Amino acid sequence: MLTPGQTMDVLLTTNQSPRNYYMAARTFINSPLPFHHGTTTGIPQYTNCCHSPFSILQYTSCCNSLLSPLFPTTLPNYKDEAAALTFIRRLRSLASKEYPIDVPKNIDTQIIMTVSLTLLPTPEASCGREIGDRCSASLNNISWVMPYTAILQSYYREFLSTLANTRMQHHIRVHMEQNIFTDDFPDRPPYSYNYTGGNLPSSLSVASQGTKVKVVNYNEAVEIVFQGTNVGGVGDNHPMHLHGYNFYLVGIGLGNFDNETDPKNFNLNDPPYVNTIGVPKNGWAAIRFRATNPGMGMVYALSSRKAYYLGHEYGSHSKEW
């Protein structure tokens, strides 16, 4: 399954008889919002040259009726969540001598992060609601506030002016005093509750705002568990992207993440190496990476929905850690 903003490299073994075959895809959706019911198709065409056998992948919009393949009729249902999750769990890295992987086994920092669609007070109507609140994505119930000064730019300028003291905590303290950001983004959700349950208290639907970051040391092994929630009764599939990094998807599941039992089933041998993953509706996904790209990395919640639904001009929200 491909989520918004995601790309995937796949290997195709052309071991069928030379002819046309459909490559087909359809929408997967598990919310009540309207969606496109069509099926997109391409035609991989296998050919065999009499001088040197080879295979090509050719997409066509039309072709000779005698060569046209039968339209696929066995695609999963639009709302078949089990099929979508099964497909994701079957993804693997090659993990070979030619294509090695390096999955962090011993974690230095673990962050469990709820992903929710919450509300913020506003004098303007939004999301089809009355005046008084608007929709806003949040991580650990915090909705990101974009600073007037770029965090990395401000940090770098202060670094140049204080070369005599290069300790990271000194620079962080300086910028906190300037009210540019705070380094108190929580490692855990502020409240512990049945994240995927029904009829959750309305108080959970109101997010706080802040420019909060999570500071990690260079080369630390980091694990982030994205926990989807049913806050406001609008649980959804959340495509998550991390700026500046690829990462290993080591686990994924439905319901509430159990920090005692679920890690025992993590795939640490050949997990897929990606830069975007979809957190299942009312489910969770765990990723691991090593912090070897210094700077400010942003964790994005991407969406293909209309802008008003996320309460953002461009239809996406970002959080920085």
Side-chain angles (χ1 to χ4, degrees):
M1 185 179 73
L2 295 179
T3 61
Q6 186 178 33
T7 60
M8 189 175 295
D9 294 328
V10 299
L11 296 177
L12 175 66
T13 302
T14 56
N15 58 1
Q16 303 299 308
S17 301
R19 57 167 298 176
N20 289 333
Y21 295 88
Y22 267 120
M23 179 183 293
R26 69 166 27 157
T27 301
F28 165 69
I29 186 134
N30 53 4
S31 73
L33 294 179
F35 64 96
H36 190 274
H37 287 72
T39 299
T40 182
T41 60
I43 301 179
Q45 187 179 59
Y46 303 109
T47 63
N48 195 330
C49 176
C50 59
H51 299 291
S52 56
F54 66 99
S55 296
I56 62 173
L57 185 63
Q58 183 180 48
Y59 296 95
T60 62
S61 57
C62 61
C63 60
N64 188 298
S65 60
L66 295 177
L67 299 177
S68 296
L70 296 175
F71 192 81
T73 58
T74 57
L75 292 176
N77 185 272
Y78 300 103
K79 298 180 180 293
D80 193 339
E81 188 171 48
L85 194 59
T86 297
F87 177 84
I88 296 173
R89 284 174 169 163
R90 292 175 62 185
L91 296 178
R92 296 287 187 272
S93 291
L94 292 178
S96 63
K97 182 178 180 180
E98 295 79 9
Y99 302 97
I101 62 173
D102 183 22
V103 186
K105 301 295 196 304
N106 299 313
I107 298 302
D108 300 307
T109 298
Q110 185 196 52
I111 305 171
I112 298 180
M113 191 181 299
T114 55
V115 186
S116 307
L117 183 64
T118 46
L119 300 174
L120 293 175
T122 178
E124 301 176 355
S126 177
C127 316
R129 298 176 180 269
E130 299 297 328
I131 294 176
D133 55 41
R134 61 185 173 90
C135 297
S136 176
S138 65
L139 298 178
N140 277 351
N141 211 45
I142 301 170
S143 188
W144 171 255
V145 176
M146 188 66 70
Y148 290 103
T149 301
I151 292 177
L152 186 58
Q153 175 184 345
S154 175
Y155 181 89
Y156 180 69
R157 287 177 176 175
E158 184 65 25
F159 174 79
L160 291 179
S161 65
T162 56
L163 286 178
N165 187 343
T166 59
R167 295 179 59 189
M168 177 182 292
Q169 292 302 322
H170 166 77
H171 299 299
I172 292 174
R173 184 172 61 254
V174 169
H175 294 295
M176 290 171 62
E177 292 171 354
Q178 294 176 349
N179 295 320
I180 295 174
F181 68 89
T182 60
D183 66 341
D184 56 347
F185 185 89
D187 289 345
R188 296 292 187 271
Y191 314 109
S192 180
Y193 58 95
N194 180 10
Y195 304 113
T196 59
N199 300 317
L200 295 176
S202 59
S203 58
L204 295 172
S205 298
V206 181
S208 62
Q209 292 181 277
T211 308
K212 300 176 182 291
V213 304
K214 172 66 180 179
V215 180
V216 297
N217 294 319
Y218 180 79
N219 206 39
E220 276 193 13
V222 181
E223 176 180 288
I224 300 179
V225 178
F226 296 107
Q227 173 67 65
T229 75
N230 196 38
V231 168
V234 288
D236 202 355
N237 183 290
H238 298 283
M240 303 302 297
H241 172 72
L242 177 58
H243 263 197
Y245 288 92
N246 287 340
F247 48 78
Y248 295 100
L249 175 62
V250 296
I252 191 167
L254 299 177
N256 298 328
F257 175 75
D258 189 316
N259 205 19
E260 295 295 327
T261 60
D262 285 324
K264 297 177 182 179
N265 297 316
F266 281 178
N267 176 13
L268 303 180
N269 297 317
D270 55 356
Y273 191 52
V274 295
N275 62 24
T276 304
I277 52 98
V279 180
K281 176 181 178 180
N282 292 334
W284 58 270
I287 68 172
R288 289 187 178 187
F289 63 95
R290 193 168 292 280
T292 55
N293 185 14
M296 305 303 294
M298 299 192 76
V299 179
Y300 274 86
L302 302 169
S303 178
S304 59
R305 298 178 183 263
K306 293 183 178 180
Y308 72 82
Y309 185 66
L310 283 179
H312 189 283
E313 183 179 2
Y314 299 106
S316 64
H317 276 73
S318 63
K319 311 291 176 294
E320 193 150 354
W321 60 273

